[in-house]
Amino acid sequence: MSFLQIDKTRPAYVENPRDVWLRRRPWYLECSNHQYYGIRAGQVDVARPLEGLGRFLNTITGQGQALSAISVKKQSYFVSLTLPDVAAEAPILEEVTVGSDAVELRVDLLEDPQRKGKPPSADFVASQIAVLRCSSDLPIIFTVRTQSQGGQMPDGAYEDIQELLNLALRMGIEFLDLEITLPEEILRSVSESKRNTKIIASHHDPRDILSWSNGSWVPHYNKALLYGDIIKLVGIAKSQSSNFSLLQFRSWALTAHPSVPIIAINMGIEGQLSRIQNPFLSPVWHPALPFKAAPGQLSASEIRTALSLHGVITPKQFYLLGKPISQSKSPAMHNYLFRKTGLSHQYRLHETDDSSTLESIIRKPDFGGASVTIPLKLPIIDLLDEVSPAAKTIGAVNTIVVEHSHSSLTHAGKPYLVGHNTDWTGMRLILSNAGAATLSHSPPSPSERESKKSALVIGGGGTARAAIYTLNQMGYNPIHLLGRSREKLQTVVESFPEAEYNINIITTHQDAVNVTENDSSPPIAVAIGTIPADKPIDSNVEELLDILFTAHASIDAETTKQRGGDKKILLEMAYKPAVTPLMTMAEKRGWVTIKGLEVLAGQGVGQFELWTGIKPLLRDARVSWCSLFSSYGIEGTSLIELS
């Protein structure tokens, strides 16, 4: 609205632009197939605004693969949000979704402040979807549960229900729960206009009328088949025999229709076993939520613990490979994360600098994966079946993953091993959390130049390669590479594809001055230090850094208001001493500095996700490093210094 008032090239409005919008809004809705609700800057603290838009576009264009990605997992879960206002609880969304594969928005539990005691309005629900989409990268299950089905939406509120279901389809929701007890016209309407949304055809029996053993569930299953891509049937267990009958029913259903996934569970304490035994999208809760969506609901961690005790999830052995590693905190971190997520795996040290001795370990049937450190990051490649594109480009492997989808390629029952590099994903995670933007990869036009930014890498070793890869993936262009030896830096530059990387070498005073005086070059917004910190900075390097740090700090000071308070960030990869000479130098010139131990936790998050499919919270990964932080004089759970 502010822009419309400022733009003098448009015809003048004779009335308030907002009134014009409100008058035209019904026409816009009638003429469109989809709608996207955007979150205004500062409206609510969300983690992934751009990713939310990307997922919306993927779904409405048919590129989303949520169901396919979930279907290949041996166990999968969705967490049911029992929140009256998702936006008000946005800070806990990242925590409550850990370990789940989808997140359910219980629309019937929402409380619209403008419609107290009534179903929420479509506008209010749209805002809730927007916040959820920008706070979690999980696909959304949109559910309007009626009272007769165990929810709070009035049974006869068909007009409200139809409007809300249509909203879900318009907003490109990945999954829509459709109760088969709704009127046929609603069922047909939703089924015919679902586009790329997957329908979960559901029926709940909260009054315990149906039985898994006498065939009374079969008509409901057959009706659900008419409308659903997924079937969800929920009964009540009064004894364990009901859970055994349910297993037989599920087996019959999957035999009759093997391509149609089924969620079949029992409510109540007696029904908890059925939740543990349900392999596909079992509904779960989280202790941070106000209450459980249904009696007997368990957390994802509780279900994994039970599956581990029953031997369904078999314990695996994970290792840190390298030398020296005796002081590593990786076992403490990963074993803590295993316990927190309900897994019985073990992570231990295997100290060696001889890669030829590792074959017997990494090819064992109980081998789950490994972290790899010096001096094995390069020689380990020869022992693997495959190496990820990122690891190939960076030239180093720091993570070994057992890829179960390649079972047909295994030899004599041995695991198929893929090498990855999570050093770069750790850098990206920490930089993003500190406020560094992920930018477009397309070259900036003159009008876009203000919003484009460049980056700086200090040093030319192996870590510098990972830093260059990280910054390129984040869209920084150009990337300046600073060091003492032009010949050494040129070797690094030549190892990257020239067409994809714009790398500028800085080794002389004039090189640095050229960067600061080039009006067409985007300002440096991020720097990554990869030089040793146990001795003073080389005098020539220090001079170059002084030019760049000072010049770009002053640029930032002059344009802070126009460009939304941009800050300059230095990620220092060295972590001993706690405050390095490079950090001190940057801080004196107004840069935000991040200590290198953050990246150790960040890359550990990436490793854990590759091994287990679970992305843990960064703060949980930090917990096990606390003693190491303290030994280096670092206090607190966050290592970002905002000085």
Side-chain angles (χ1 to χ4, degrees):
M1 294 300 174
S2 298
F3 174 76
L4 293 178
Q5 300 282 15
I6 294 172
D7 185 7
K8 303 304 181 183
T9 65
R10 299 175 59 91
Y13 280 99
V14 296
E15 58 182 305
N16 187 293
R18 182 175 294 277
D19 294 334
V20 176
W21 155 251
L22 291 174
R23 189 179 70 250
R24 294 178 179 176
R25 185 171 182 271
W27 181 74
Y28 291 148
L29 291 174
E30 184 179 350
C31 294
S32 61
N33 292 326
H34 296 286
Q35 69 182 79
Y36 182 78
Y37 189 105
I39 299 292
R40 296 193 306 272
Q43 179 181 357
V44 66
D45 183 18
V46 294
R48 305 171 179 87
L50 292 180
E51 289 86 342
L53 175 59
R55 284 172 45 225
F56 164 76
L57 294 173
N58 283 339
T59 300
I60 67 172
T61 58
Q63 299 180 59
Q65 300 294 323
L67 179 56
S68 299
I70 293 171
S71 296
V72 299
K73 296 189 175 185
K74 291 183 178 180
Q75 289 90 27
S76 56
Y77 313 93
F78 71 85
V79 61
S80 302
L81 298 184
T82 54
L83 299 170
D85 186 345
V86 173
E89 301 295 337
I92 72 167
L93 292 177
E94 186 178 20
E95 176 183 1
V96 301
T97 55
V98 169
S100 291
D101 303 283
V103 55
E104 181 183 39
L105 179 64
R106 282 291 301 271
V107 178
D108 56 299
L109 300 180
L110 295 175
E111 297 178 4
D112 185 344
Q114 303 301 318
R115 290 171 56 90
K116 292 185 178 180
K118 298 179 180 179
S121 68
D123 285 344
F124 179 74
V125 175
S127 70
Q128 300 287 293
I129 293 172
V131 172
L132 182 55
R133 215 172 221 154
C134 295
S135 300
S136 169
D137 56 7
L138 296 181
I140 297 173
I141 299 175
F142 186 97
T143 299
V144 184
R145 186 70 65 232
T146 58
Q147 291 173 345
S148 63
Q149 291 284 292
Q152 293 189 9
M153 177 65 68
D155 289 321
Y158 297 137
E159 186 175 337
D160 290 319
I161 293 172
Q162 178 80 72
E163 182 182 19
L164 292 172
L165 296 179
N166 289 342
L167 172 71
L169 298 178
R170 289 177 57 83
M171 294 194 70
I173 293 295
E174 290 90 345
F175 298 100
L176 174 63
D177 185 295
L178 182 64
E179 296 179 354
I180 61 173
T181 54
L182 292 172
E184 289 293 333
E185 56 267 28
I186 294 181
L187 296 178
R188 287 195 300 270
S189 172
V190 171
S191 179
E192 292 170 0
S193 58
K194 68 173 186 175
R195 303 180 185 91
N196 297 304
T197 294
K198 302 301 181 184
I199 301 298
I200 302 176
S202 69
H203 185 70
H204 293 64
D205 180 29
R207 293 184 292 170
D208 194 24
I209 297 173
L210 306 175
S211 170
W212 300 106
S213 60
N214 64 10
S216 56
W217 271 104
V218 173
H220 301 280
Y221 175 78
N222 288 336
K223 184 175 182 180
L225 282 173
L226 298 176
Y227 302 104
D229 302 287
I230 301 165
I231 310 300
K232 182 185 180 188
L233 305 175
V234 182
I236 289 182
K238 297 249 180 106
S239 68
Q240 290 302 312
S241 62
S242 179
N243 298 321
F244 303 141
S245 298
L246 184 152
L247 285 177
Q248 293 177 325
F249 182 93
R250 180 192 293 121
S251 178
W252 165 81
L254 291 175
T255 300
H257 301 279
S259 63
V260 182
I262 182 171
I263 305 167
I265 57 174
N266 284 321
M267 292 186 286
I269 298 298
E270 293 282 358
Q272 288 182 333
L273 179 60
S274 71
R275 296 178 181 275
I276 295 169
Q277 294 174 327
N278 180 69
F280 178 79
L281 279 182
S282 194
V284 298
W285 86 298
H286 189 280
L289 293 170
F291 58 89
K292 298 181 179 182
Q297 241 181 24
L298 301 167
S299 69
S301 179
E302 289 172 327
I303 292 178
R304 290 193 196 92
T305 298
L307 291 173
S308 296
L309 290 172
H310 284 274
V312 177
I313 298 178
T314 56
K316 298 292 184 180
Q317 301 299 317
F318 294 80
Y319 299 89
L320 172 60
L321 309 174
K323 185 176 183 179
I325 58 174
S326 61
Q327 300 300 312
S328 173
K329 294 295 182 180
S330 290
M333 174 176 64
H334 288 299
N335 286 326
Y336 172 78
L337 294 176
F338 285 143
R339 292 194 302 271
K340 190 171 181 65
T341 53
L343 297 170
S344 58
H345 307 319
Q346 288 189 332
Y347 185 104
R348 59 187 64 182
L349 301 178
H350 182 82
E351 187 161 11
T352 182
D353 56 5
D354 184 359
S355 61
S356 65
T357 66
L358 298 177
E359 186 80 19
S360 61
I361 291 178
I362 64 177
R363 294 294 176 179
K364 284 183 178 180
D366 68 346
F367 176 72
S371 311
V372 183
T373 187
I374 55 173
L376 301 176
K377 287 189 172 186
L378 187 59
I380 196 69
I381 292 176
D382 293 335
L383 303 180
L384 305 177
D385 300 300
E386 185 181 338
V387 176
S388 72
K392 285 182 180 178
T393 302
I394 295 170
V397 164
N398 81 325
T399 307
I400 302 175
V401 176
V402 179
E403 184 57 76
H404 297 288
S405 63
H406 289 81
S407 57
S408 61
L409 302 177
T410 58
H411 305 284
K414 296 177 181 178
Y416 185 90
L417 305 179
V418 181
H420 291 264
N421 188 294
T422 64
D423 289 331
W424 84 269
T425 58
M427 293 181 194
R428 181 182 62 181
L429 174 63
I430 302 308
L431 285 171
S432 298
N433 286 352
T438 298
L439 310 169
S440 168
H441 283 270
S442 59
S445 65
S447 61
E448 295 176 318
R449 187 70 64 181
E450 280 286 309
S451 64
K452 296 295 180 178
K453 301 171 185 177
S454 64
L456 172 68
V457 176
I458 305 154
T463 305
R465 296 177 56 82
I468 292 171
Y469 186 88
T470 302
L471 296 168
N472 185 68
Q473 289 294 308
M474 295 181 73
Y476 289 93
N477 181 24
I479 298 170
H480 305 287
L481 183 59
L482 187 152
R484 293 179 299 177
S485 169
R486 180 171 293 272
E487 182 179 2
K488 180 180 179 180
L489 299 186
Q490 187 63 41
T491 300
V492 173
V493 172
E494 291 174 355
S495 67
F496 287 93
E498 184 177 357
E500 301 174 25
Y501 290 78
N502 180 12
I503 306 174
N504 173 54
I505 294 176
I506 300 175
T507 58
T508 67
H509 177 90
Q510 190 58 49
D511 292 335
V513 171
N514 289 343
V515 171
T516 62
E517 294 183 351
N518 184 354
D519 293 336
S520 64
S521 178
I524 296 174
V526 173
I528 301 179
T530 70
I531 58 177
D534 55 355
K535 54 186 177 182
I537 302 174
D538 176 82
S539 58
N540 180 55
V541 170
E542 185 174 24
E543 178 191 356
L544 304 180
L545 288 172
D546 181 61
I547 295 172
L548 297 175
F549 282 161
T550 301
H552 289 284
S554 64
I555 289 175
D556 183 55
E558 293 171 4
T559 60
T560 293
K561 290 184 179 180
Q562 295 96 325
R563 294 168 55 188
D566 289 354
K567 56 186 176 185
K568 307 300 183 180
I569 301 170
L570 167 70
L571 173 58
E572 169 62 289
M573 293 302 294
Y575 52 85
K576 192 173 184 180
V579 179
T580 67
L582 185 59
M583 291 173 62
T584 300
M585 186 176 185
E587 288 171 357
K588 287 181 178 179
R589 289 153 182 82
W591 285 56
V592 173
T593 61
I594 310 173
K595 294 180 171 71
L597 280 173
E598 279 281 85
V599 176
L600 293 182
Q603 62 87 22
V605 166
Q607 290 180 330
F608 194 85
E609 184 176 14
L610 286 171
W611 293 331
T612 66
I614 302 170
K615 184 177 181 179
L617 295 178
L618 180 61
R619 71 166 181 260
D620 287 337
R622 289 188 186 117
V623 167
S624 57
W625 292 86
C626 286
S627 61
L628 184 59
F629 294 160
S630 298
S631 68
Y632 291 152
I634 303 171
E635 300 297 336
T637 58
S638 177
L639 306 180
I640 301 173
E641 298 293 329
L642 300 179
S643 55

